[in-house]
């Protein structure tokens, strides 16, 4: 037994030594130098082969590898017998003269190892060089095939012979020319534009009179008087706005805008706001300290609740003015064509009033008596907040300093910034201290402070300090009323402002959903996801008019978003045939998502007609009465899609849900459609790569594991949050810790009742109608053969032959659109050829052979 343990110990020790050797950067550098040396050796051998191949080839072929150990045979190659064998293998049996490119790959690989560079770029270079080597060897054989020297090697010769017999020498030559042109086009990317100034000038002269007519109408001002060249430049620039999402910089409140006063320091000395401490002047300790920590200055910055702060004024009421009809047409119509006596068409302008006499269109006037909810409907939780204990700050400071000095880490300065739930201790390490040493002490600091949720930020972006976030023992509640009362929310210039809460510096954080442009929310059960969604929705209800934003709410759990049903005729959007304004059924969810894609395409068509890049430019033209409603133009409100539990939809519908969501996420930003998706299971099969790629803005409440944190944020840290609204927000590379604003269910119901009791629109906001699978499933026996699609019989034969009832199969094989393929699939179900929808799985096919199907179709024809 002892011998077995001894052998195991020796094996483990040997494994550790091997791992240590392979991880040593000196070993990697040595291997890189060896590759470069081998490249030099092969270069000499290859160059020598060009002059000595005739004398050495017979010897190499005769002796093969035994030539290495045959001292009686001499070779002429400058690199000896090994060089003769290697050069013959590469040059004769390989790729010929292009084999010299392998030397470049060896040098490149040696440089990569020495400089510790990533292998990704090298693999790309390796693939390109290998393809070029093969191509060049074939070309050399094509040009110099009759030469005694094997310029293209055996590989190039074999490929050339096969290709020349397959497509002929002429075809092979054309292939080389085509590949060369394609490569040149890929590399230099020529413009390939031809001058058409003469044609354009002739066209402009011939249409001068018509252009002047359109200039006279105000509806066409600023868009028809431009040349076609400037129009092309404008269309090229009409791609979706890809500005990186931005947030307003947090600012401190004044007493007039919030109950929280400006930041006031805590006094740690006798009459001094900040205590000065120089660590370098302190005596150096050669062993671990046993006494209390020396006095280290702790600068404290905080924003505490002031009960005597004055209340701010409630949100301003909507502007009131004379009522205006929303669908009032513009005073300009298109010119009409009449036929003259000679049979020719003439354009006859219609005399209209000047649209400059009309006031700009205001969509709010359709509900001119609408009043926004007041802040008195919300509860103020500031009276329940407790003051931060100065002794707690001092104790935490001493524990941090002692812990670092136990590991011989000296710091020169420390300061504290007090937040509602977390205090940030910023430390400045002494010169020569490695940041990684401090970062590795995360668990040790948490143990000494006896606190959960310790997070180390090393270093803090934009500062020369290291941050240690420590949760407060007595946490403050950030009320939604306090956040909405702030100046940043009241006077901010944002399209879709959402008040998320407060930062670690106790400053209100307001973001613009229109710039995100979509938001992904994750977190374990009970950590604040539902409160966060309510906070976002309440921010929109307080800030926007019903004509400016519409909410599409999807709630698979059927209870979280149910109170918002009362907003049916104000803020909600849904399908015309929906039983409830809040979508809960999975089939209706699929129809709703596809309906939003139709709405997205329709909006892009309107933007194209109006020559606008995004929804802001389009609405600006519409309100200025430069777009005619009789031509289909309309005011476009923002649409916010909210999905409360995304995991349930993915499990039941799969790709049918993921694909329209990915399409909306990719394209819908410019037309004002934005998404908020929440899930309590941030796993890779729920939040797929396609979803993550289109959601740059993500919020994570506390999760259960480090893996979940990396899935949602691409970084660890969410598993160390303390819950109850503590969250991390990432936008690109920025990671911000926030305390989510709290709003209780009774407050939400009060605000919804206030809006619901007011006069709403006569007709709710309906999304475009979508006819998908299952819409006509109950018509069965009522269908006539003449009512079926022209491709019905072909589709039935295809489904039976493939034994797979899939709409996508009909799309691919018959080159049909999704809507038509879906209608055919519904007709197949109604005629009892396939079974009902089975989620993401194919439908069941009821017929095994084509003969059975033909008998069934004959019965349908004769019915």
């Amino acid at each position: 037994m002892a011998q077995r343990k001894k052998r195991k110990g020796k094996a483990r020790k040997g494994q550790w030594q091997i791992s240590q050797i392979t991880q040593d950067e000196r070993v990697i550098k040595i291997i890189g130098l060896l590759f470069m040396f081998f490249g030099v050796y092969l270069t000499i051998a290859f160059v020598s082969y060009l002059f000595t191949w005739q004398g050495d080839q017979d010897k190499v072929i005769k002796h093969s590898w035994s030539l290495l150990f045959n001292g009686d045979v001499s070779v002429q190659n400058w690199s000896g017998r090994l060089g003769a064998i290697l050069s013959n293998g590469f040059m004769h049996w390989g790729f010929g003269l292009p084999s010299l490119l392998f030397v470049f790959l060896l040098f490149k690989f040696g440089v990569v190892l020495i400089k510790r560079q990533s292998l990704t770029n090298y693999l790309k270079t390796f693939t390109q060089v290998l393809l070029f080597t093969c191509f060049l060897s074939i070309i050399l054989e094509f040009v110099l095939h009759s030469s005694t020297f094997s310029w293209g090697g055996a590989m190039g010769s074999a490929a050339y012979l096969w290709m020349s017999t397959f497509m002929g020498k002429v075809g092979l030559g054309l292939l080389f020319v085509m590949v060369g042109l394609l490569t040149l086009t890929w590399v230099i990317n020529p413009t390939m534009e031809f001058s058409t100034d003469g044609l354009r000038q002739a066209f402009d002269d011939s249409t001068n009179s018509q252009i002047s007519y359109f200039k006279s109408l105000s509806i066409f001002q600023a868009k028809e008087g431009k040349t076609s060249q400037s129009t092309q430049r404008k269309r090229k620039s009409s791609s979706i706005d890809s500005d990186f999402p931005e947030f307003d910089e947090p600012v401190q409140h004044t007493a007039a805008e919030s109950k929280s006063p400006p930041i006031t320091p805590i006094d740690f000395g006798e009459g001094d706001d900040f205590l000065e401490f120089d660590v370098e002047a302190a005596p150096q300790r050669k062993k671990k300290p046993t006494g209390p920590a020396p006095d280290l200055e702790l600068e404290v910055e905080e924003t505490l609740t002031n009960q005597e702060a004055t209340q701010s004024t409630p949100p301003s009421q909507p502007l009131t003015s004379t009522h205006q009809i929303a669908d009032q047409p513009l005073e300009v119509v298109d010119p009409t064509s009449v036929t003259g006596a000679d049979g020719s068409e003439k354009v006859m302008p219609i005399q209209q009033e000047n649209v400059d006499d009309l006031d700009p269109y205001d969509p709010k006037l359709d509900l001119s008596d609408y009043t926004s909810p007041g802040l008195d409907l919300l509860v103020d939780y500031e009276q329940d907040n407790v003051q931060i204990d100065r002794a707690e700050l001092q104790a935490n400071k001493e524990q941090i300093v002692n812990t670092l000095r136990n590991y011989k880490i000296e710091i020169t300065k420390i300061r504290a910034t007090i937040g509602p739930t977390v205090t940030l201790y910023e430390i400045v390490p002494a010169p020569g201290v490695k940041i990684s040493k401090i970062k590795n002490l995360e668990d040790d600091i948490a143990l000494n402070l006896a606190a959960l949720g310790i997070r180390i930020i090393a270093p803090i972006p934009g500062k020369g300090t290291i941050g240690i976030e420590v949760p407060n023992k007595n946490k403050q509640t950030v009320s939604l009323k306090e956040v909405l009362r702030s100046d940043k929310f009241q006077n901010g210039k944002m399209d879709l402002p959402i008040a998320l809460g407060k930062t670690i510096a106790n400053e209100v954080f307001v973001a613009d959903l229109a710039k995100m442009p979509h938001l992904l929310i994750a977190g374990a059960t009970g950590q604040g996801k539902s409160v966060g969604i309510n906070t976002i929705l309440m921010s929109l209800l307080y800030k926007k008019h019903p004509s400016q934003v519409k909410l599409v709410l999807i709630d698979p759990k059927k209870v979280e978003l149910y109170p918002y049903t009362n907003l049916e005729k104000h803020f909600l959007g849904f399908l015309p045939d929906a039983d409830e304004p809040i979508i809960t059924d999975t089939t209706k969810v699929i129809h709703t998502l596809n309906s939003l894609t139709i709405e997205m395409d329709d909006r892009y068509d309107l933007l194209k007609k109006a020559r606008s890049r995004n929804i802001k430019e389009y609405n600006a033209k519409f309100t200025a009465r430069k777009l005619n409603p009789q031509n289909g133009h309309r005011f476009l409100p923002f649409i916010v899609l909210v999905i409360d539990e995304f995991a349930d939809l993915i499990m039941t519908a799969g790709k049918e849900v993921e694909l329209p969501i990915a399409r909306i996420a990719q394209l819908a930003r410019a037309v004002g459609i934005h998404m908020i998706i929440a899930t309590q299971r941030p796993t890779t099969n729920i939040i797929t790569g396609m979803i993550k790629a289109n959601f740059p803005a993500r919020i994570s409440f506390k999760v259960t594991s480090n893996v979940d944190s990396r899935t949602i944020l691409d970084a660890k840290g969410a598993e160390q949050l303390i819950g109850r609204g503590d969250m991390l927000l990432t936008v690109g590379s920025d990671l911000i810790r926030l305390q989510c604003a709290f709003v209780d269910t009774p407050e939400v119901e009060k605000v919804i009742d206030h809006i619901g009791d007011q006069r709403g629109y006569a007709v709710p906001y309906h999304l475009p109608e979508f006819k998908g699978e299952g819409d006509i499933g109950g018509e069965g026996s009522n269908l006539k053969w003449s009512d079926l699609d022209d491709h019905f019989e072909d589709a039935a034969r295809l489904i039976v032959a493939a034994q797979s009832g899939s709409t996508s199969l009909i799309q691919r094989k018959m080159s049909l659109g999704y809507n038509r393929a879906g209608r055919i699939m519904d007709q197949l179900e109604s005629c009892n050829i396939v079974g009902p929808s089975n989620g993401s799985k194919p439908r069941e096919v009821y017929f095994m052979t084509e003969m059975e199907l033909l008998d069934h179709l004959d019965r349908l024809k004769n019915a």
Side-chain angles (χ1 to χ4, degrees), residues 256-384:
E257 65 188 42
S258 172
K259 284 190 176 182
S260 297
I263 295 177
T264 54
I266 291 182
D267 185 9
F268 278 92
E270 298 179 359
D272 293 331
D273 290 339
F274 302 101
L275 299 180
E276 297 296 336
F277 180 81
D278 188 2
V279 180
E280 295 179 355
Q284 299 293 331
R285 302 186 180 186
K286 298 184 179 180
K287 52 185 178 179
K288 296 182 179 179
T290 55
D295 248 352
L296 184 64
E297 170 200 357
L298 177 66
E299 297 180 1
V300 181
E301 184 178 317
E302 62 171 340
T303 304
L304 299 179
T305 304
N306 186 0
Q307 299 294 335
E308 299 177 356
T310 58
Q311 292 280 356
S312 66
T313 57
S316 58
Q317 301 297 329
L319 297 176
T320 58
S321 61
T322 17
H323 186 68
Q324 169 183 331
I325 300 176
D327 296 329
Q328 180 178 357
L330 298 175
E331 297 300 330
V332 175
V333 259
D334 296 333
T336 59
S337 298
V338 298
T339 304
D342 56 352
S344 60
E345 285 192 353
K346 297 180 180 180
V347 179
M348 300 296 295
I350 300 177
Q351 299 297 328
Q352 297 290 340
E353 296 179 7
N354 193 351
V355 295
D356 293 336
D357 298 336
L358 297 176
D359 294 331
Y361 172 71
D362 186 1
K364 296 181 181 179
L365 295 181
D366 288 335
L367 289 182
S368 58
D369 55 349
Y370 173 81
T371 58
S372 299
L375 291 177
D376 56 331
L377 300 175
L378 302 177
V379 179
D380 195 347
Y381 295 94
E382 290 188 0
Q383 63 238 12
D384 301 332

Side-chain angles (χ1 to χ4, degrees), residues 109-362:
F109 188 66
V111 172
V112 168
L113 291 179
I114 292 174
K115 294 187 176 182
R116 307 299 295 272
Q117 297 175 350
S118 174
L119 289 176
T120 304
N121 293 332
Y122 175 76
L123 292 177
K124 181 180 178 181
T125 304
F126 179 84
T127 305
Q128 294 174 347
V129 171
L130 183 61
L131 292 176
F132 182 71
T133 301
C134 298
F135 182 68
L136 186 59
S137 65
I138 300 174
I139 292 180
L140 289 175
E141 282 297 318
F142 175 75
V143 177
L144 304 170
H145 182 64
S146 59
S147 175
T148 57
F149 183 78
S150 183
W151 293 98
M155 296 291 186
S157 179
Y160 160 72
L161 291 175
W162 180 85
M163 296 177 71
S164 62
T165 56
F166 178 76
M167 58 192 310
K169 291 186 177 181
V170 177
L172 186 58
L174 292 176
L175 175 64
F176 292 150
V177 173
M178 183 191 70
V179 172
L181 290 176
L182 293 179
T183 305
L184 188 65
T185 303
W186 178 263
V187 173
I188 68 176
N189 190 19
T191 58
M192 295 185 179
E193 293 183 355
F194 304 95
S195 177
T196 57
D197 293 339
L199 294 175
R200 184 181 298 112
Q201 182 64 33
F203 176 79
D204 292 343
D205 293 341
S206 64
T207 57
N208 206 13
S209 59
Q210 295 184 12
I211 294 177
S212 61
Y213 163 69
F214 286 117
K215 283 183 178 180
S216 64
L217 300 179
S218 60
I219 187 174
F220 294 105
Q221 289 177 356
K223 70 176 182 179
E224 290 291 341
K226 297 183 179 180
T227 63
S228 59
Q229 185 177 0
S230 62
T231 304
Q232 291 176 1
R233 288 199 302 267
K234 188 172 182 181
R235 287 179 177 173
K236 288 180 181 179
S237 63
S238 61
S239 58
I240 300 176
D241 186 9
S242 60
D243 292 341
F244 197 78
E246 298 178 355
F247 298 105
D248 286 356
E249 290 295 327
V251 297
Q252 300 176 4
H253 308 159
T254 59
E257 65 188 42
S258 172
K259 284 190 176 182
S260 297
I263 295 177
T264 54
I266 291 182
D267 185 9
F268 278 92
E270 298 179 359
D272 293 331
D273 290 339
F274 302 101
L275 299 180
E276 297 296 336
F277 180 81
D278 188 2
V279 180
E280 295 179 355
Q284 299 293 331
R285 302 186 180 186
K286 298 184 179 180
K287 52 185 178 179
K288 296 182 179 179
T290 55
D295 248 352
L296 184 64
E297 170 200 357
L298 177 66
E299 297 180 1
V300 181
E301 184 178 317
E302 62 171 340
T303 304
L304 299 179
T305 304
N306 186 0
Q307 299 294 335
E308 299 177 356
T310 58
Q311 292 280 356
S312 66
T313 57
S316 58
Q317 301 297 329
L319 297 176
T320 58
S321 61
T322 17
H323 186 68
Q324 169 183 331
I325 300 176
D327 296 329
Q328 180 178 357
L330 298 175
E331 297 300 330
V332 175
V333 259
D334 296 333
T336 59
S337 298
V338 298
T339 304
D342 56 352
S344 60
E345 285 192 353
K346 297 180 180 180
V347 179
M348 300 296 295
I350 300 177
Q351 299 297 328
Q352 297 290 340
E353 296 179 7
N354 193 351
V355 295
D356 293 336
D357 298 336
L358 297 176
D359 294 331
Y361 172 71
D362 186 1

Side-chain angles (χ1 to χ4, degrees), residues 1-19:
M1 191 70 179
Q3 292 178 353
R4 186 182 304 172
K5 290 184 178 180
K6 188 174 181 180
R7 286 196 300 269
K8 287 184 178 180
K10 290 182 178 179
R12 291 174 181 172
K13 184 176 180 181
Q15 293 174 0
W16 179 82
Q17 290 177 347
I18 294 175
S19 175

Side-chain angles (χ1 to χ4, degrees), residues 5-124:
K5 290 184 178 180
K6 188 174 181 180
R7 286 196 300 269
K8 287 184 178 180
K10 290 182 178 179
R12 291 174 181 172
K13 184 176 180 181
Q15 293 174 0
W16 179 82
Q17 290 177 347
I18 294 175
S19 175
Q20 188 180 32
I21 291 173
T22 56
Q23 292 179 359
D24 193 337
E25 62 177 343
R26 294 173 297 180
V27 176
I28 304 299
K29 291 179 180 179
I30 291 174
I31 296 175
L33 291 174
L34 290 177
F35 271 96
M36 297 178 70
F37 169 79
F38 187 57
V40 174
Y41 182 80
L42 280 184
T43 303
I44 298 173
F46 288 170
V47 173
S48 175
Y49 181 84
L50 299 176
F51 305 99
T52 62
W53 67 277
Q54 291 179 332
D56 292 344
Q57 194 174 59
D58 292 338
K59 301 173 184 178
V60 172
I61 293 176
K62 178 180 180 181
H63 296 281
S64 186
W65 288 98
S66 62
L67 179 65
L68 290 175
F69 311 102
N70 193 342
D72 298 333
V73 181
S74 62
V75 295
Q76 300 177 22
N77 193 286
W78 303 338
S79 298
R81 293 193 293 269
L82 177 61
I85 293 175
L86 291 177
S87 60
N88 185 75
F90 277 95
M91 303 286 282
H92 180 73
W93 297 110
F95 297 96
L97 188 63
S99 297
L100 287 169
L101 294 175
F102 286 104
V103 176
F104 167 75
L105 292 178
L106 289 174
F107 270 97
K108 179 72 174 178
F109 188 66
V111 172
V112 168
L113 291 179
I114 292 174
K115 294 187 176 182
R116 307 299 295 272
Q117 297 175 350
S118 174
L119 289 176
T120 304
N121 293 332
Y122 175 76
L123 292 177
K124 181 180 178 181

